[in-house]
Amino acid sequence: MEDNPHLKHTPLHALHLSLGARMVPFAGYDMPVQYPEGVMKEHQHTRVAAGLFDVSHMGQVIVRPKSGKIEDAALALEKLVPVDVLGLGEGRQRYAIFTNAEGGILDDLMIANRGDHLFLVVNAACKDADFEHLKKGLADTCEVTMLDDRALIALQGPHAEAVLGELWADVSAMRFMDVAEADLHDVTCIISRSGYTGEDGFEISIPLESAVDVTQRLLEHPDVKPIGLGARDSLRLEAGLCLYGNDIDTTTTPVEAALEWAMQKARRAGGAREGGFPGADRILGQFAGGASRRRVGLKPEGRAPVRGGANLFADAEGKTPVGQVTSGGFGPSVDGPVAMGYVDSGHTENGTTLFAEVRGKYLPVAVAALPFVKQTYKR
Amino acid sequence: MLKFTEEHEWLKIEAGVATVGITEHAAGQLGDLVFVELPETGSTFSKGDSAATVESVKAASDVYCPLDGEIVEVNQAIVDDPSLVNSDPQGAAWFFKLKLANPSEADALLEEAAYKELVA
């Protein structure tokens, strides 16, 4: 396993190697794709116990209002996202998207209200561009800082609360999308009850110098195993969650991507702060009149996985193209192939049979409701 | 006669028919297999053609035909249970039997020692 000098390392890189991880390049980082147990067992362990993920490659950004008033930062950020940031209470987090002038999606992110500042988590591959975008958009009102002195891990699964509860009793008071500060082994961490697996769980931002220590102690718990990017992908796909760059990008709008739920009433037509974000005309227009295509779940009827990039047709002969798969693979918990993709309006109703082109054959797939597994968030 | 290819296949050749599978090294690299697609009996392939497909949770990979020949038998057991390829790749999880068009071409394939050196 050669060390690629062009790849960045997270603070947990040496720990991954010591755990026997197979490393792959991902978003400019040398990341663990799987550990010796393998993707299948890692996936299943996360669904029945607790999985620990290194997500330190993601960007952690602080947006601090120059006025000292959090409302000013919230209103400034609302110019970049079609989301109600002003209405986000202290200690709460919300999913958001950066849009561009055409209504496309520049990135998806989490926004937390931390009282005197906003705390953002953005995708690794987009973080430098996001940082520039934020600085440019918010320079007048806010200080924008990319934190390079913190690691980020996720602890996901039905045992995550009990595991974390052994270090911090108050964890059980947190609800889905709550954000709080807590000491884990005397290290002050920022903890959100959220994740990317469809399971209950937590994301934990840890000061760099304590990252290995806190992570190792969590891994000592018999219910916790390290989980690589392979299982992270199959878990999020079963949960119906988008992967930026695959399922959403600058060519997809939030309405096409079926992310209307991420746009609260205040920002929609007739809302208190209607529009006012990049691409608002197009996005609100699609809100009212519908889009010509939509992201849907796709359940292949056979055993063959249907991967991202596969073309979709209305007929079994491949004559009438109706869309494309954007993510697809095998769902270990579903025990079968699962996929999602974009389908022309008129073919998006659940149960519609479409045909995916795989190695020259046209395999039947059914339009299916997302998620494929029941989400177990503690609301 | 046991032979190997640089594409991580093994061939056990008896009376001009090669039983073909993927090596332990290949199975380990692919990870947990969830789907196997085998060729049809009676179909013919040239060396280097994609003759079968294996899929892990993450990705699909081709299994190439190691020599020219005709498929005379396939192993339905690995289609029914792809995890067999992970547990016994060089035994019960053979892929297909290939009637070699030119049995002497097998001489040019790798010996076991040379293959082991390749993946060491």
Side-chain angles (χ1 to χ4, degrees):
Chain A
M1 217 142 293
E2 305 270 311
D3 205 28
N4 185 334
H6 302 293
L7 293 176
K8 289 183 271 190
H9 290 181
T10 75
L12 304 177
H13 187 265
L15 180 60
H16 299 313
L17 297 183
S18 75
L19 293 167
R22 184 185 299 169
M23 307 297 283
V24 298
F26 181 83
Y29 284 80
D30 195 34
M31 296 297 287
V33 66
Q34 66 171 78
Y35 297 87
E37 293 223 11
V39 175
M40 195 81 83
K41 286 198 177 117
E42 291 172 28
H43 177 113
Q44 280 152 350
H45 184 83
T46 305
R47 291 258 187 260
V48 299
L52 190 147
F53 306 71
D54 179 11
V55 286
S56 303
H57 55 314
M58 299 182 82
Q60 303 180 64
V61 182
I62 293 231
V63 175
R64 195 176 289 280
K66 289 176 182 170
S67 66
K69 293 184 198 145
I70 191 74
E71 296 79 12
D72 292 340
L75 286 170
L77 189 56
E78 283 194 357
K79 293 193 171 71
L80 304 182
V81 300
V83 169
D84 180 1
V85 186
L86 189 64
L88 185 64
E90 184 172 345
R92 292 289 292 163
Q93 174 176 276
R94 183 164 274 173
Y95 177 80
I97 40 202
F98 289 126
T99 50
N100 67 18
E102 292 74 46
I105 300 175
L106 293 168
D107 196 7
D108 62 346
L109 69 151
M110 286 291 184
I111 301 172
N113 177 341
R114 298 264 300 126
D116 61 353
H117 67 273
L118 300 173
F119 179 60
L120 280 48
V121 177
V122 302
N123 280 304
C126 303
K127 66 182 178 184
D128 293 332
D130 289 345
F131 184 54
E132 293 307 314
H133 185 59
L134 282 163
K135 278 198 296 189
K136 207 168 143 193
L138 307 181
D140 295 344
T141 50
C142 300
E143 276 175 38
V144 182
T145 314
M146 174 92 80
L147 302 181
D148 50 13
D149 58 353
R150 299 189 78 88
L152 189 66
I153 60 170
L155 184 68
Q156 301 279 299
H159 295 186
E161 183 189 80
V163 169
L164 210 50
E166 291 180 18
L167 306 182
W168 179 46
D170 293 347
V171 69
S172 55
M174 290 184 86
R175 288 181 302 142
F176 181 59
M177 291 290 197
D178 275 353
V179 180
E181 211 168 85
D183 289 348
L184 306 181
H185 295 292
D186 299 323
V187 178
T188 303
C189 298
I190 302 163
I191 301 176
S192 73
R193 193 158 198 164
S194 62
Y196 192 47
T197 60
E199 298 296 323
D200 179 31
F202 304 87
E203 296 204 340
I204 307 170
S205 171
I206 313 169
L208 198 63
E209 62 278 9
S210 306
V212 172
D213 187 43
V214 171
T215 305
Q216 265 176 333
R217 283 166 180 254
L218 287 168
L219 285 171
E220 279 168 15
H221 195 289
D223 289 357
V224 179
K225 284 181 180 170
I227 311 297
L229 292 177
R232 181 172 159 81
D233 193 52
S234 56
L235 288 159
R236 71 90 194 167
L237 178 56
E238 283 184 343
L241 300 170
C242 292
L243 172 62
Y244 189 81
N246 281 39
D247 308 304
I248 47 175
D249 59 27
T250 52
T251 69
T252 64
T253 70
V255 176
E256 291 165 5
L259 296 174
E260 293 98 332
W261 57 269
M263 297 175 55
Q264 289 76 20
K265 272 188 189 152
R267 309 303 306 280
R268 298 183 190 179
R273 296 181 310 289
E274 169 185 336
F277 51 84
D281 287 353
R282 179 156 185 230
I283 292 168
L284 294 181
Q286 287 188 342
F287 234 111
S292 61
R293 59 174 184 163
R294 187 167 181 84
R295 182 177 63 93
V296 296
L298 299 162
K299 183 76 191 79
E301 288 175 8
R303 295 290 293 175
V306 175
R307 309 281 177 183
N311 289 315
L312 293 165
F313 298 87
D315 62 288
E317 288 79 45
K319 288 183 182 135
T320 313
V322 292
Q324 196 174 49
V325 175
T326 51
S327 282
F330 186 83
S333 304
V334 171
D335 190 29
V338 288
M340 63 171 90
Y342 285 82
V343 171
D344 292 347
S345 59
H347 302 272
T348 58
E349 199 172 316
N350 287 342
T352 306
T353 300
L354 304 174
F355 296 86
E357 185 179 2
V358 177
R359 295 184 288 274
K361 294 178 188 163
Y362 297 94
L363 307 181
V365 303
V367 175
L370 294 173
F372 293 104
V373 295
K374 197 174 182 301
Q375 291 165 338
T376 56
Y377 306 141
K378 293 283 152 65
R379 292 187 192 273
Chain B
M1 180 165 58
L2 187 63
K3 290 284 191 175
F4 291 83
T5 71
E6 291 177 7
E7 284 76 39
H8 309 287
E9 287 131 1
W10 57 267
L11 299 83
K12 194 175 164 199
I13 304 167
E14 288 166 298
V17 175
T19 303
V20 179
I22 67 169
T23 66
E24 261 184 61
H25 173 81
Q29 289 294 311
L30 290 167
D32 303 314
L33 294 186
V34 297
F35 180 76
V36 175
E37 189 169 74
L38 293 174
E40 282 180 27
T41 302
S43 53
T44 58
F45 291 94
S46 300
K47 179 180 176 172
D49 287 351
S50 173
T53 304
V54 292
E55 303 221 18
S56 68
V57 178
K58 276 295 280 177
S61 308
D62 289 318
V63 176
Y64 299 103
C65 200
L67 291 170
D68 297 356
E70 180 191 343
I71 304 293
V72 293
E73 194 180 343
V74 297
N75 185 5
Q76 182 65 27
I78 62 170
V79 174
D80 297 340
D81 180 10
S83 72
L84 199 59
V85 180
N86 294 107
S87 57
D88 194 10
Q90 296 190 204
W94 56 278
F95 276 57
F96 50 80
K97 294 188 181 180
L98 184 71
K99 186 169 188 297
L100 300 178
N102 307 296
S104 63
E105 286 179 356
D107 296 342
L109 299 176
L110 297 173
E111 299 291 337
E112 186 163 16
Y115 177 73
K116 280 187 170 161
E117 202 166 305
L118 182 76
V119 298

